[in-house]
């Protein structure tokens, strides 16, 4: 029903819905205690509205940070052990 309300309000493409649930599990989960599943868990069922522009900005920033880190690592000499 929340997705329908977002669409009816003309907010599709502007707002993204993030859902959380105590029993959340990914389809390829390794079991109920798989650590990866905890990203979507909450003590009670809940949802958050996210501005898509802010999600995009965060992902773009993470991509820039990753690219900068990879460039820095690539510039380091292969034998970078500390001399002592």
């Amino acid at each position: 029903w929340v997705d329908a309300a977002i669409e009816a309000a003309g907010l599709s493409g502007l707002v993204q819905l993030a859902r959380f649930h105590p029993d959340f599990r990914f389809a390829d989960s390794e079991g109920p205690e798989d650590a990866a599943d905890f990203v979507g868990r909450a003590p009670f069922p809940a949802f958050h509205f996210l501005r898509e522009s802010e999600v995009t900005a965060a992902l773009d920033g993470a991509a820039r940070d990753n690219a900068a880190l990879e460039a820095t690592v690539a510039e380091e000499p292969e034998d970078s052990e500390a001399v002592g």
Side-chain angles (χ1 to χ4, degrees):
W1 67 268
V2 179
D3 290 317
I6 290 172
E7 191 170 325
L11 297 173
S12 294
L14 299 174
V15 173
Q16 188 176 102
L17 185 64
R19 295 171 175 84
F20 300 89
H21 191 277
D23 299 326
F24 176 85
R25 287 178 60 185
F26 286 108
D28 62 349
S29 176
E30 295 181 9
E33 298 303 315
D34 187 345
D37 295 332
F38 284 85
V39 70
R41 290 193 184 162
F44 302 99
F47 53 85
H48 294 264
F49 293 103
L50 307 172
R51 291 182 184 103
E52 287 200 11
S53 61
E54 292 182 7
V55 171
T56 300
L59 293 173
D60 289 346
R64 279 192 308 274
D65 291 347
N66 285 341
L69 177 60
E70 288 175 6
T72 300
V73 170
E75 291 173 4
E76 291 181 4
E78 286 189 33
D79 186 16
S80 60
E81 291 184 29
V83 177

